Amino acid sequence: MRSDKIKKGIERAPHRSLLYALGLDDDDLDKPMIGIANSANDIIPGHKHLDRIKDAVEHGITAAGGTALTFSTIGVCDGIAMGHSGMNYSLASREIIADSVEAVVNGHQLDGLVLIPNCDKIVPGMMMAAARLDIPAVVISGGPMEHGSRCGKAIDLHNVFEAVGSVISGEMEEEELDQIARSACPGVGSCAGMFTANSMNSLAEVLGLALPGNGTIPAVKADRIRLAKAAGKAVMKLVEKDIRPSDILTEKSFANAITVDMSLGCSTNTALHLPAIAHEAGIDLPLDKFNEISDQVPHICSLTPAGKNHMENLNAAGGIHAVINELVKGDLINLDTVTVTGRSLKENLKAINFVDHEIIRSLDNPYHDRGGLAILKGNLAPEGSVVKRAAVAPQMMEHRGPARIYNSEEESIAAINNGEIKPGDVVVIKNEGPKGGPGMREMLSPTSALAGMGLDDSVALITDGRFSGATRGAAIGHVSPEAAAGGPIAALEEGDIIHIDMDKFILEVELSEAELAARMDKVEPFVPAVSGYLKRYAKLVGSASKGAVLD
């Protein structure tokens, strides 16, 4: 066993002494030592209950003949960090999470690993660590929150953000906003729609790093506890068979993940995190792959914010594997990929015996003929940009309008709230990229403000930062290269005409090549005024088009 390095032989007597101090005995030391990376905390609603998940995982490991050793890592709640300087730390925390898991596992030479994330950057951070470490590993998330209810209508966090815009525009009373805020998030779990956390927890299933049900079983259900026990047992089988993430994370499994991503209309952040996980696995996953697959895969399941249903509805309809089963009918899935069950995806699908076509549509009756995300390129985004096409109003699929230029999220929100943005405008927010933000802040507040004012079907937003998985409307993020890295977005000026065509994957400014080049020559380099970790992060982080990984 790998852990023999810390427990076997005369030279390791001091190490054993410390292990005995934990209350372990010789029987425990004879077993595989399985780390549990538990990101429980009292700040994030999606992580408040993770100690219960941890307890169940420990039970499963022990029952299957392993020794469970739990350690912790950090997490940032994107919803609480939204709209202020705290959001600079969200994406940046992904790298800390991956690094901290690596440090503990390799520092103690553990034999296997169970990862317990739930929310936005914790999920990809832990999957990056699994790929990097390449020891037997299973992901088990805390599960999605159930939706809230207000006046008989199902609501969630994105409704609260949009209600803020409605109050500012005078369409809603502040008392109603308060009632919505109190009702939208009824308990623990990752926010209830197909936002970033649930997107990545669902794609963990598809990649094969998580057991079936990981993405959709609600946090408060007993099935979630049973799944956690099963995850503990599963990692022991992986250790026994020496099945590692490198056996699971292949080009085929990433193609499957993008395929399901397109069918679900997942968060645009998947185009940031999947390439980052692939990078750790030694696989090149260019953004063009998303468009290639998007052209072949229909959008067959529409959850909030694009649709009306929530994760609990998808779970009741059959879950992620039921979605995969529909895609198999169109020969859109690679079935021979390895999974943490120890079986192939094809074998796992044999357990699927139900699908609700009201929630998961058939391939011949999709919401949209093409996938939920699109990668747009052009002279404004030579390396690419990302939009959640499934959440865009039909009249905004192609748009031409004047640029309204803002150098930060705060500037844009002030302009929106002051009524300065008019139908047809294109709001451009620059210097919010991985280096310029730094940390590529997620901007649900400006998009929600526009939606709350009824402008989401007539105004586009473009940024080198990110948009939330809860965003709807013509919100185009990840513009690369970013302004701080010398990207063309830095040269945009007030009134420039921006042309967007999502069906043709185009994002461009109507300037000649010579004029754009002349402007770029005059652009002053932007250096964010930050210190500490963010200063180091800004120096090391790469382009969003390659997952914003550290160079």
Side-chain angles (χ1 to χ4, degrees):
M1 288 183 284
R2 193 172 112 113
S3 60
D4 287 347
K5 295 176 184 177
I6 67 167
K7 63 189 184 184
K8 296 290 186 180
I10 295 173
E11 297 85 354
R12 298 298 182 253
H15 304 63
R16 289 195 295 275
S17 183
L18 292 168
L19 294 171
Y20 292 144
L22 299 174
L24 300 180
D25 59 26
D26 289 337
D27 286 342
D28 295 322
L29 299 189
D30 286 338
K31 299 171 183 176
M33 303 185 82
I34 308 300
I36 302 175
N38 180 16
S39 56
N41 64 48
D42 289 340
I43 303 173
I44 308 174
H47 290 234
K48 174 74 173 175
H49 65 302
L50 292 189
D51 280 336
R52 292 186 63 217
I53 303 297
K54 181 267 297 181
D55 290 344
V57 170
E58 285 182 347
H59 180 96
I61 291 170
T62 303
T67 296
L69 298 169
T70 298
F71 61 94
S72 61
T73 189
I74 66 164
V76 173
C77 178
D78 278 28
I80 297 174
M82 194 77 66
H84 56 86
S85 60
M87 184 50 79
N88 293 101
Y89 288 90
S90 175
L91 180 60
S93 74
R94 186 187 72 179
E95 316 309 311
I96 295 176
I97 292 160
D99 291 350
S100 66
V101 173
E102 175 195 358
V104 174
V105 171
N106 279 343
H108 301 91
Q109 294 296 296
L110 301 178
D111 298 301
L113 180 62
V114 178
L115 302 133
I116 308 178
N118 207 30
C119 291
D120 290 2
K121 307 309 168 290
I122 302 97
V123 185
M126 286 195 172
M127 287 199 280
M128 289 166 67
R132 184 188 302 172
L133 289 162
D134 200 30
I135 64 171
V138 178
V139 173
I140 169 67
S141 75
M145 184 186 293
E146 294 187 317
H147 67 70
S149 180
R150 175 68 179 154
C151 299
K153 177 184 176 183
I155 60 173
D156 56 58
L157 185 64
H158 96 276
N159 298 103
V160 187
F161 275 94
E162 292 187 4
V164 171
S166 296
V167 170
I168 292 170
S169 66
E171 297 179 14
M172 181 184 291
E173 295 296 327
E174 192 170 343
E175 290 77 10
E176 176 63 13
L177 169 62
D178 180 65
Q179 290 302 311
I180 292 172
R182 293 176 185 276
S183 305
C185 300
V188 298
S190 49
C191 294
M194 189 51 80
F195 312 145
T196 303
N198 292 328
S199 294
M200 293 308 301
N201 283 324
S202 296
L203 297 186
E205 271 190 60
V206 187
L207 285 169
L209 285 179
L211 295 172
N214 182 72
T216 60
I217 296 174
V220 297
K221 299 297 185 184
D223 279 347
R224 176 60 57 176
I225 300 300
R226 283 187 280 271
L227 190 70
K229 291 179 183 177
K233 295 175 182 178
V235 75
M236 292 302 297
K237 290 183 180 179
L238 297 180
V239 170
E240 178 186 350
K241 297 180 179 181
D242 195 29
I243 297 175
R244 301 168 181 255
S246 56
D247 300 310
I248 294 170
L249 297 174
T250 64
E251 290 186 3
K252 287 183 178 180
S253 65
F254 279 103
N256 284 347
I258 297 173
T259 298
V260 175
D261 186 346
M262 295 302 161
S263 73
L264 292 172
C266 288
S267 164
T268 52
N269 285 309
T270 61
L272 194 67
H273 299 318
L274 287 176
I277 298 165
H279 172 78
E280 297 290 353
I283 295 171
D284 182 38
L285 192 65
L287 285 181
D288 289 340
K289 188 72 173 177
F290 286 77
N291 279 350
E292 176 188 323
I293 292 176
S294 179
D295 269 345
Q296 303 168 7
V297 178
H299 176 217
I300 61 173
C301 184
S302 185
L303 305 183
T304 179
K308 64 179 181 179
N309 293 308
H310 291 82
M311 295 302 294
E312 63 198 82
N313 305 114
L314 175 54
N315 186 63
I320 298 301
H321 273 60
V323 175
I324 296 172
N325 224 22
E326 288 300 305
L327 296 169
V328 167
K329 297 174 183 178
D331 197 26
L332 298 169
I333 293 289
N334 299 294
L335 290 171
D336 58 351
T337 55
V338 178
T339 74
V340 292
T341 64
R343 301 183 296 272
S344 70
L345 179 58
K346 182 177 182 179
E347 292 173 301
N348 291 345
L349 289 173
K350 292 178 181 178
I352 302 301
N353 54 22
F354 170 76
V355 59
D356 181 350
H357 281 121
E358 289 295 316
I359 307 295
I360 304 169
R361 291 190 176 182
S362 60
L363 294 179
D364 59 3
N365 182 36
Y367 289 93
H368 303 97
D369 291 333
R370 294 200 288 178
L373 300 186
I375 308 300
L376 311 184
K377 289 187 175 183
N379 65 355
L380 187 49
E383 294 178 4
S385 61
V386 187
V387 64
K388 190 170 185 174
R389 185 168 52 186
V392 176
Q395 63 268 35
M396 291 298 291
M397 296 297 286
E398 183 176 11
H399 182 73
R400 181 179 275 102
R404 306 298 310 277
I405 307 297
Y406 304 98
N407 289 306
S408 69
E409 178 185 11
E410 288 81 0
E411 285 187 13
S412 71
I413 292 173
I416 293 168
N417 290 346
N418 290 334
E420 297 173 20
I421 305 304
K422 307 302 181 186
D425 285 349
V426 178
V427 175
V428 177
I429 309 172
K430 53 186 179 180
N431 297 322
E432 290 284 6
K435 289 182 178 294
M440 208 177 177
R441 288 196 293 176
E442 195 169 89
M443 301 181 203
L444 181 56
S445 296
T447 57
S448 296
L450 288 173
M453 295 174 181
L455 292 172
D456 57 302
D457 59 357
S458 60
V459 171
L461 289 93
I462 297 173
T463 182
D464 50 8
R466 297 180 294 127
F467 290 110
S468 166
T471 291
R472 61 187 176 98
I476 302 165
H478 307 200
V479 171
S480 301
E482 63 173 297
I489 189 173
L492 289 182
E493 296 178 0
E494 189 80 8
D496 285 342
I497 300 301
I498 307 296
H499 176 222
I500 302 162
D501 191 327
M502 298 183 195
D503 288 330
K504 295 181 179 178
F505 309 115
I506 292 171
L507 176 62
E508 60 188 8
V509 56
E510 295 185 349
L511 295 174
S512 69
E513 185 177 342
E515 185 173 359
L516 186 57
R519 284 196 195 176
M520 288 302 300
D521 288 340
K522 299 176 183 177
V523 171
E524 295 288 332
F526 177 78
V527 179
V530 291
S531 59
Y533 174 61
L534 289 180
K535 186 175 182 179
R536 298 195 300 276
Y537 179 84
K539 289 180 178 178
L540 296 173
V541 70
S543 172
S545 66
K546 298 184 182 298
V549 297
L550 300 187
D551 293 331

